[in-house]
Amino acid sequence: MHENYMKLALKLAEKGRGKVSPNPMVGAVIVKENKVIGKGYHKGYGEAHAEVKAFENSTEDIKGADLYVTLEPCSHYGKTPPCVDKIIHRKIKRVFIGCLDPNPLVSGKGVKKLIDSGIEVTTGILEKECRELNEVFMKYIVEKKPFVIMKTAMSLDGKIATKTGDSKWITGLRSRKNVHRLRNEVSGIMVGINTVIADNPELTCRIENGNNPIRIIVDSKLRIPIDSKVLDNQNLAKTIVATTGQADMTKKVEIEKKGVKVLTIKSLEGKVDLQKLMSKLAEENIDSILLEGGATLNFSALEQQIVDKVQVYIAPKIIGGEKSKTSVGGSGIEDLRKAFQLHRISYKTIDEDILIEGYIRW
Ligand SMILES: NC(=O)c1ccc[n+]([C@@H]2O[C@H](COP(=O)([O-])OP(=O)(O)OC[C@H]3O[C@@H](n4cnc5c(N)ncnc54)[C@H](OP(=O)(O)O)[C@@H]3O)[C@@H](O)[C@H]2O)c1
């Protein structure tokens, strides 16, 4: 019974996907005498919290009712006043919580305040599902770094382009639509400078009413052509170019004149230090990044341990060619025991393609 109400709260929370960043997605359900009398979810950054929305939407007096909420109610003043005070004030009888707030500064404090005021509290209802829902928030709050999803689309033989560089398109339409849906949900999209030079991509989200993520170009020496599409149209989609002290200052000024932010990051072996870059991007409120290659940046991202999740689309095609690029390049590993191992793996078919997803535990 508790799980069913929490499932409903999870479903509500899901409605905030792509809209609440860098806040968590949260859903809440109010139940009285086995009847749902209120539902709410966090709709957008800075907007009312799920519990408050459920109170507002309730069809009956909520005094003595049960509250189901996917994330521990907040006990501190943020953009809105603490939810626990409202729960106490509205005389809720029992509170069922999916998972505790991951923020070590506040985790457990909401629960304590509720218990201290005489409310019965149960935690851990569908905890795994509630934590997974907010995998981005969990990393962002605890590590102050964005959650990185490395996405590649390749042929059966692991190629991302032919030997002449032709890569449009390896996977089918539905797989590509899936990627655009993900672009709509993340706050940043990142590529290496060679990809910009070779393909001149727009890196925008091409679904109706979709949000464009901030475009992040990793370019240690500012080799980016000044007429690149990613430097244009900053009203449509913002761009950050991450560079190092090796960059030419005149070029930096020229790029900045286009409204583009240039971040100078410490270098690591002559290239942008990706861990340092992640910390800087978190300061820019970027909580999630879709890494779309190329092969060189993908390997560095794995080597420097910034990748959390991997999404590989495999198309039933064979391309061949020693010179055709694979999805991960760089120097590669030597010892198979040191291969980057995926965990919590799932597989699904999308028309003729296969999508394999998994997580990397560092
Ligand atoms: N089919 C697909 O899905 C797909 C997706 C993406 C790309 N591609 C293809 O991949 C090709 C480009 O891939 P690529 O491997 O040559 O290059 P890349 O990964 O796009 O860019 C690598 C470059 O980024 C710069 N960089 C800065 N900091 C870095 C760091 N920490 N680690 C790694 N690189 C860093 C380096 O240049 P500096 O030293 O000058 O900074 C490096 O050479 C293109 O042909 C493109 O079409 C295909």
Side-chain angles (χ1 to χ4, degrees):
M1 181 188 69
H2 297 315
E3 294 198 350
N4 285 343
Y5 292 132
M6 193 57 81
K7 264 186 201 155
L8 177 59
L10 274 164
K11 229 170 151 181
L12 289 161
E14 187 65 47
K15 291 185 175 188
R17 190 176 287 280
K19 302 181 188 109
V20 297
S21 155
N23 277 351
M25 288 174 262
V26 188
V29 174
I30 304 172
V31 179
K32 200 171 181 180
E33 288 156 12
N34 295 325
K35 194 171 116 198
V36 174
I37 61 163
K39 292 190 268 186
Y41 69 96
H42 186 41
K43 277 191 172 167
Y45 181 69
E47 291 198 29
H49 287 185
E51 302 89 320
V52 176
K53 277 303 214 193
F55 292 167
E56 281 172 14
N57 295 338
S58 55
T59 50
E60 289 177 28
D61 182 10
I62 62 171
K63 189 175 163 192
D66 293 339
L67 168 71
Y68 291 82
V69 59
T70 54
L71 185 71
E72 180 181 8
C74 64
S75 56
H76 58 288
Y77 277 87
K79 279 205 172 286
T80 59
C83 288
V84 283
D85 292 357
K86 290 183 185 146
I87 297 168
I88 297 166
H89 176 70
R90 299 294 297 264
K91 300 205 165 21
I92 291 286
K93 190 168 170 227
R94 299 188 298 178
V95 177
F96 297 91
I97 296 170
C99 63
L100 294 183
D101 193 308
N103 183 351
L105 295 175
V106 297
S107 185
K109 287 194 176 156
V111 170
K112 185 174 181 309
K113 202 163 175 190
L114 292 172
I115 292 174
D116 288 350
S117 72
I119 293 174
E120 210 181 293
V121 180
T122 309
T123 57
I125 314 266
L126 296 184
E127 183 175 7
K128 186 172 154 276
E129 289 81 349
C130 290
R131 287 187 65 82
E132 275 174 15
L133 170 81
N134 279 312
E135 59 191 10
V136 165
F137 180 73
M138 300 280 163
K139 171 156 189 202
Y140 181 69
I141 287 296
V142 177
E143 295 180 33
K144 307 251 177 330
K145 295 217 171 104
F147 184 89
V148 177
I149 305 163
M150 187 180 108
K151 172 249 136 187
T152 64
M154 63 188 203
S155 61
L156 264 188
D157 53 336
K159 307 291 185 190
I160 59 166
T162 66
K163 62 181 178 186
T164 60
D166 186 14
S167 62
K168 288 187 175 72
W169 301 103
I170 289 176
T171 50
L173 185 66
R174 270 188 64 215
S175 297
R176 294 188 331 257
K177 273 203 172 140
N178 238 22
V179 175
H180 279 275
R181 269 197 291 276
L182 187 53
R183 284 185 180 187
N184 175 49
E185 289 167 13
V186 291
S187 43
I189 180 166
M190 184 164 91
V191 296
I193 182 58
N194 291 352
T195 296
V196 173
I197 293 170
D199 300 344
N200 195 15
E202 274 180 53
L203 301 179
T204 51
C205 168
R206 292 189 283 281
I207 57 172
E208 212 179 323
N209 299 322
N211 295 313
N212 285 321
I214 297 180
R215 302 171 291 191
I216 302 149
I217 316 303
V218 188
D219 179 9
S220 343
K221 303 173 197 84
L222 287 188
R223 289 191 285 130
I224 190 162
I226 202 71
D227 58 354
S228 301
K229 286 184 188 157
V230 290
L231 297 183
D232 281 341
N233 246 340
Q234 295 301 302
N235 295 331
L236 191 77
K238 296 258 170 269
T239 305
I240 291 177
V241 179
T243 191
T244 65
Q246 305 160 76
D248 172 39
M249 282 302 118
T250 323
K251 180 87 175 270
K252 179 172 181 271
V253 172
E254 207 181 342
I255 295 168
E256 284 172 334
K257 269 192 193 144
K258 292 189 158 227
V260 170
K261 195 168 219 167
V262 180
L263 293 178
T264 304
I265 309 290
K266 220 177 137 251
S267 70
L268 180 71
E269 292 167 6
K271 310 248 179 269
V272 174
D273 182 325
L274 299 177
Q275 282 288 355
K276 296 252 173 349
L277 172 61
M278 291 304 114
S279 301
K280 269 267 182 252
L281 293 174
E283 286 170 21
E284 300 281 329
N285 283 345
I286 294 176
D287 65 353
S288 49
I289 293 177
L290 180 60
L291 169 62
E292 287 209 25
T296 310
L297 184 61
N298 279 350
F299 183 74
S300 294
L302 289 165
E303 203 180 26
Q304 292 182 41
Q305 306 190 349
I306 65 160
V307 179
D308 297 288
K309 188 173 182 176
V310 176
Q311 272 196 344
V312 182
Y313 290 86
I314 304 172
K317 286 178 190 148
I318 296 171
I319 291 174
E322 274 172 26
K323 296 224 170 85
S324 314
K325 283 203 182 274
T326 58
S327 57
V328 182
S331 51
I333 55 146
E334 284 175 13
D335 184 343
L336 199 49
R337 286 168 301 183
K338 292 197 176 135
F340 306 107
Q341 179 71 46
L342 301 193
H343 300 272
R344 284 161 56 206
I345 304 154
S346 62
Y347 312 86
K348 102 174 147 198
T349 52
I350 303 176
D351 290 341
E352 288 189 333
D353 303 329
I354 301 171
L355 168 61
I356 302 180
E357 288 184 285
Y359 293 82
I360 301 199
R361 236 186 274 130
W362 296 112

